[in-house]
Amino acid sequence: MTRLNRLLTSLSAVALIAAAAPALAQPAAPAAAGAQAQSQARAPFTYQDMIGLNRLADPQVSPDGKWVIYSVTTTDMDANRRTNHVWIRGLDGSAEPRRLAISDGGANTARWGSDGRIYFLSGRSGSSQVWRAEADGTGAAQVTDLPTDVNAYRLSPGADRVLVSLAVYPDAADLNASVQRGQEAGERKSTGMVYDRMFVRHWDTWNDHTQNHLFAVSIGADGHASGEAVWVTKGFDGDTPSKPFGDESEFTFTPDGRGVVFSAREAGASEPWSTNFDLYRTDLSGGDRFENLTEDNKAWDTGPVFSPDGKTMAYRAMARPGFEADQFAIMLRDMATGQVSRVAPQWDRSADTLQWSADGRTLYVTAGDVGQGRIFAVDVQSDRVVPITGPGHVSAFGLTPSGIVFAQDSLQTPSDLWFKTYRGREMPRRLTQVNPSLDAMAFGEAEQFTFAGWNGETVHGYVIKPANYVEGRKYPVAFLIHGGPQGSFGNSWSFRWNPSSYAGAGYAVVMIDFHGSTGYGQAFTDAISQHWGDRPLEDLQKGWAHALSAYGFLDGDRACALGASYGGYMINWIAGNWPGTFKCLVNHDGVFDIRGMGYGTEELWFTEWEYGGTPYENPEGYERFNPVHHVANWRDPMLVVQGDRDFRIPTAQGLSTFTALQRRGIESRLIVFPDENHWVLKAQNSLQWHNEVFGWLDRHIGEASQP
């Protein structure tokens, strides 16, 4: 089947599933070893199939524990558009999932109120506002009517107030004055932007001098906002939620509904090199009174959640200022005495989210764990930590009286919802199937392996056989290198770097979680800082050698190394320090000149931690593992990809890489996406990205490369 035909088939299937409710299905049994023979006749899963798949996220359990709402994002390739839909599923299994009518006018960030209604954000009135509907999704009515977009919100415990985050000019007299200033800025005929402190640009946007601030809005008995919005964080110099990816998990009402606790970093001149987020408490009067609850900790504090009795606040805290990949420990604060203690200090994992059990004895936590993403139960009295879920990656979860609803994916399955009782030993029960079954498609068999890496320490990796693998054959290899660098290529699904799509194209896949990766203990993560070019490279070299010796189907003479962000840096580093190993290289948004990165990136805390200070304080730290010094050794063909709105690793880095390749006469190709940031998000751009990357592999190590 041609790639075009596979794409059309995939899109047709997606259109069918979007028009009908997903069928309830039971979890598939693990494939037996003998199942490989049955897969020979199956069509392989490809990136064309992947791009069109529906995407599930954001499960929210109703207050009575009987329902879960969740979002499903569909893709319209022709329109180059993705659309969010809100679905509902009864947890007793008596009814099939169904799409809610609120989706028709656009709906996102759906949340349950304590009144049993569904609240959500929608732009159907012309701007993003808070709306609500009945529990069945009918009777949508607008709650807020603010003069600017709501970018995040949180309902009070009694659903009689809502906290909204709005982008405002912090020194404006009031909300209307802020809106007026924005209108005047838009009507100005000159285009010069003036700055007197840093964070001139962040992630993919230029600083427009607004900040995210919290406003309190009362909700009347009729469900509509009543009275003026109160500017709760007026006078605070900083964003809540944080930019660019913060959400309502960074702020919450106090249990009595009269105050708010929020996580924020004071801006000032030091914001670009500070990770000192603190938790502040204030009332809803907007009186410029902010009590810093975590002033003693100069590192990151975030994610406040109150216990059911309201007496204790749990939150996550790092210990080392300036280090964004430090371990997030679980902390408890007694709200009466102010006493703070750490929960499970012996547990060497970094907490991602926190939710209290109904009895206040347990915190349920997600965390990376040896290539998996699990839910753990943490006893706040005994510090005992118990894993709740098994293999796979849990992205979100909600608690019910009898168990846990969670979104889980894996290397071979995109995200769906599952249910598991708290203490039951039974297999999780599947709640959704938001895509057509992929059982008829061939996936590559995955296996996790270990080897002795840097310093003789155990390092983990994955090898994936090509789809429709045939015993005795050798296969070309895609050697995938993850970014971060504090990240992981583990047992999870991705819509950007999806190992199964490489297996579906006939390539074996090797991935190494080198020193610096997350989920293996904090010391393992720490090992990469100020060692970008030696310890990880040693792991990659030893991991590659181990894989070649252990898996005879890998063709070491036909291999290509690919990576993005730090992975792209490593591609440049490999080009100069491990040349000739791979027949081709792919570098997406990778660092070329570390010193230039130190002055050109926006979040300076990252470079200053990773390279041991500023470029002028520790120039050696920026030059020791700088790819720019090894260009004379480059000889391998390289594909370079760059997003022009990537302000994390600016365009000059990609252009410089391509210039070096071209000037040396090395076969190379440059793809620039003017409208993409550090990631490629638009559907058609994703298709082009994959066409280019897989075309590069086919040319150099695929069938097209063979004589």
Side-chain angles (χ1 to χ4, degrees), residues 420-466:
K420 187 179 189 302
T421 59
Y422 288 114
R423 299 189 181 278
R425 296 181 179 274
E426 76 282 359
M427 290 289 290
R429 173 166 56 93
R430 188 170 187 168
L431 298 176
T432 65
Q433 185 173 315
V434 301
N435 285 293
S437 173
L438 301 178
D439 292 346
M441 308 193 81
F443 284 80
E445 180 184 345
E447 178 181 324
Q448 192 175 30
F449 62 87
T450 62
F451 62 94
W454 170 77
N455 203 33
E457 297 173 6
T458 299
V459 178
H460 291 72
Y462 272 95
V463 63
I464 304 173
K465 292 179 179 178

Side-chain angles (χ1 to χ4, degrees), residues 88-331:
I88 191 168
R89 173 74 163 92
L91 296 180
D92 62 2
S94 62
E96 296 295 321
R98 62 184 178 84
R99 178 181 175 275
L100 292 180
I102 58 175
S103 303
D104 295 342
N108 65 85
T109 321
R111 300 289 181 265
W112 292 97
S114 59
D115 57 0
R117 293 183 173 91
I118 297 173
Y119 292 75
F120 59 97
L121 293 180
S122 177
R124 65 189 70 193
S125 65
S127 64
S128 176
Q129 300 295 323
V130 179
W131 288 65
R132 80 172 187 180
E134 299 303 315
D136 61 0
T138 62
Q142 188 170 343
V143 176
T144 63
D145 188 16
L146 297 162
T148 190
D149 288 335
V150 175
N151 56 56
Y153 73 101
R154 167 88 67 173
L155 289 165
S156 67
D160 58 346
R161 288 189 182 94
V162 61
L163 276 170
V164 296
S165 176
L166 311 176
V168 295
Y169 293 94
D171 58 344
D174 53 32
L175 179 56
N176 288 329
S178 175
V179 172
Q180 178 64 31
R181 186 184 300 184
Q183 293 172 344
E184 292 171 354
E187 295 168 356
R188 195 182 66 193
K189 291 183 170 55
S190 62
T191 59
M193 297 182 292
V194 180
Y195 300 94
D196 54 17
R197 66 185 190 185
M198 292 183 61
F199 260 158
V200 170
R201 58 185 191 176
H202 196 185
W203 187 249
D204 60 4
T205 59
W206 286 85
N207 190 342
D208 64 358
H209 300 292
T210 66
Q211 291 178 342
N212 290 339
H213 275 240
L214 297 179
F215 291 76
V217 179
S218 295
I219 302 176
D222 61 356
H224 299 291
S226 62
E228 295 292 325
V230 178
W231 193 337
V232 176
T233 53
K234 176 68 173 172
F236 187 87
D237 183 18
D239 290 286
T240 187
S242 59
K243 296 177 181 178
F245 303 119
D247 57 25
E248 79 269 19
S249 68
E250 297 180 14
F251 60 92
T252 188
F253 279 95
T254 55
D256 61 7
R258 299 175 182 175
V260 59
V261 173
F262 63 93
S263 174
R265 170 183 52 202
E266 289 194 41
S270 64
E271 186 177 21
W273 58 88
S274 169
T275 60
N276 187 19
F277 285 81
D278 281 309
L279 293 175
Y280 296 87
R281 178 169 54 187
T282 187
D283 59 35
L284 300 182
S285 67
D288 191 16
R289 294 182 296 273
F290 308 107
E291 179 189 2
N292 191 338
L293 302 178
T294 57
E295 187 172 8
D296 291 343
N297 183 28
K298 304 304 179 185
W300 207 318
D301 302 286
T302 192
V305 288
F306 284 96
S307 59
D309 62 9
K311 296 179 180 180
T312 305
M313 182 181 72
Y315 62 98
R316 298 179 296 132
M318 294 182 176
R320 288 174 284 183
F323 186 24
E324 69 173 14
D326 198 9
Q327 181 185 13
F328 264 128
I330 304 171
M331 311 300 291

